[in-house]
Amino acid sequence: MSQTRRNAAAGLVALSALALPTARAVASDAAETAQSELPDADEPATKLDTIQSPSEHMMAPVRINGQGPFNFLLDTGANISCVSRRLAERLDLKSVEQAQVHTVVGVRSRPIVRLDLLQIGSRDRRNVRAPSLPISAPEIDGVLGVDWLKGQRLTLDFKARNMEITKSRADRDEPGRVVVVPARRRNGQLTIVDADLNGKPISAIIDSGAQGTLCNRALRELVRKEEAASGGGIRQDPEMVRMETLAGESFTGESVFLPFLRLGGLRLGNVPVTYANMHVFDVWGLKDVPALVIGIDLLSQFERVALDFGRSAVRFEFV
């Protein structure tokens, strides 16, 4: 991966604050709306062409209150869909309350606006509450989170540049072409459980909203131990990487290479990640265990990645 790519936006993790009453209410309302307003599982698949943002994210066309389409970033690390402050002002969306919204950096109170109608292809939801965020990238009008994917399957096709939402279905490995990895659902996201670094268990979250793959302190320390055991020593002057969330929050991390990463039957070597012991690991309950946030930089190396929220599995298809 080029240094230019590593210095691009790290992306947004727009989790509602599960520990705070106001945000719990938002998360609960969003979940109830998603459950009641999503189409029946037998409805035909929704397939949409996507475009790539300058920071290499996938963006899909979304209509709000009959207007649009607007470009929404596909973010499997966000449990609630959001709109940019610019779009909220453009559509004259009124704030109905304030709530705590978490990004990788921290938590802030943000206005919540009401969307009368939110449409993605043939699917729609009404009376949606969405945080309004100061998204810095002018080409991104909002974030499409996993609140749309209760029990559904999202396929990101990086080769054909499209996305598809379908009902959940069973998958199996196809040697040399497809690897299916079990996961668990945690706060709406899918976390791969069958993963390790050189035989040491780790957790791996699939986050298509993160431009770069991140690791926490526990995983960084595990890498240091591996380096020491192999006789490679520990680099005294680590390479620092400056990154920024979509909400314009800057942070600095350390460039790290994972010597050997296994995700189910998928084996990867010398994987570049950025160590930053961010707030998001606390939110996901992964502060003290080796954990990885798999960003779009790694996901886009595959032809397709399918996240099945009904069967709690991730399907990687090779180019």
Side-chain angles (χ1 to χ4, degrees), residues 28-39:
S28 175
D29 289 345
E32 289 176 7
T33 302
Q35 191 68 32
S36 62
E37 297 292 344
L38 275 173

Side-chain angles (χ1 to χ4, degrees), residues 2-304:
S2 70
Q3 187 60 31
T4 299
R5 188 174 183 184
R6 291 295 300 276
N7 286 342
L12 177 72
V13 182
L15 291 167
S16 61
L18 302 178
L20 300 176
T22 54
R24 262 208 307 269
V26 173
S28 175
D29 289 345
E32 289 176 7
T33 302
Q35 191 68 32
S36 62
E37 297 292 344
L38 275 173
D40 293 335
D42 292 333
E43 180 167 332
T46 292
K47 190 172 184 177
L48 297 170
D49 290 335
T50 62
I51 62 174
Q52 189 179 59
S53 75
S55 55
E56 302 179 15
H57 292 101
M58 293 184 77
M59 299 190 295
V62 172
R63 298 182 67 86
I64 295 178
N65 298 347
Q67 300 186 57
F70 305 108
N71 293 324
F72 271 52
L73 181 149
L74 297 173
D75 190 351
T76 60
N79 70 351
I80 290 182
S81 298
C82 310
V83 298
S84 70
R85 182 184 296 168
R86 294 185 309 276
L87 185 59
E89 293 174 350
R90 174 179 171 182
L91 299 181
D92 195 27
L93 303 175
K94 304 300 184 183
S95 174
V96 295
E97 62 181 311
Q98 295 279 322
Q100 303 298 311
V101 176
H102 291 251
T103 67
V104 293
V105 176
V107 56
R108 290 190 181 183
S109 180
R110 301 292 189 188
I112 304 299
V113 298
R114 184 183 297 276
L115 315 179
D116 295 330
L117 179 63
L118 179 64
Q119 297 171 291
I120 305 170
S122 62
R123 302 190 174 209
D124 62 74
R125 284 173 50 199
R126 297 181 182 275
N127 299 320
V128 176
R129 292 180 179 181
S132 174
L133 304 178
I135 296 176
S136 55
E139 70 279 359
I140 298 175
D141 299 311
V143 172
L144 195 61
V146 297
D147 48 335
W148 271 87
L149 301 170
K150 305 288 182 180
Q152 305 289 299
R153 177 188 180 96
L154 171 67
T155 300
L156 305 176
D157 192 321
F158 296 100
K159 183 177 180 180
R161 295 196 175 184
N162 61 49
M163 56 85 73
E164 186 175 19
I165 303 175
T166 62
K167 62 182 180 181
S168 175
R169 68 173 186 265
D171 254 328
R172 63 181 181 182
D173 288 354
E174 298 177 24
R177 183 171 179 269
V178 173
V179 171
V180 181
V181 185
R184 68 168 178 265
R185 282 173 291 182
R186 190 188 192 103
N187 297 339
Q189 286 74 29
L190 282 181
T191 303
I192 291 175
V193 293
D194 184 18
D196 67 62
L197 179 72
N198 281 1
K200 307 296 192 304
I202 67 171
S203 294
I205 296 168
I206 304 296
D207 186 358
S208 64
Q211 196 280 336
T213 297
L214 305 173
C215 74
N216 66 355
R217 176 178 289 122
L219 185 51
R220 178 67 185 103
E221 290 305 314
L222 186 57
V223 173
R224 288 183 183 274
K225 291 178 181 178
E226 293 291 328
E227 291 173 341
S230 67
I234 299 175
R235 186 172 56 191
Q236 297 301 313
D237 297 314
E239 181 181 359
M240 306 309 293
V241 180
R242 182 185 178 279
M243 307 183 85
E244 185 176 284
T245 72
L246 291 178
E249 303 156 315
S250 297
F251 64 96
T252 301
E254 175 191 344
S255 179
V256 177
F257 286 88
L258 305 184
F260 183 81
L261 176 65
R262 183 186 66 83
L263 304 173
L266 184 64
R267 290 170 170 77
L268 306 171
N270 207 31
V271 179
V273 304
T274 298
Y275 157 59
N277 205 49
M278 309 306 297
H279 170 75
V280 67
F281 291 108
D282 293 340
V283 175
W284 277 328
L286 297 172
K287 178 181 179 180
D288 299 321
V289 298
L292 193 66
V293 174
I294 299 178
I296 200 70
D297 59 335
L298 189 53
L299 295 176
S300 62
Q301 302 305 307
F302 300 94
E303 183 171 333
R304 296 181 191 87

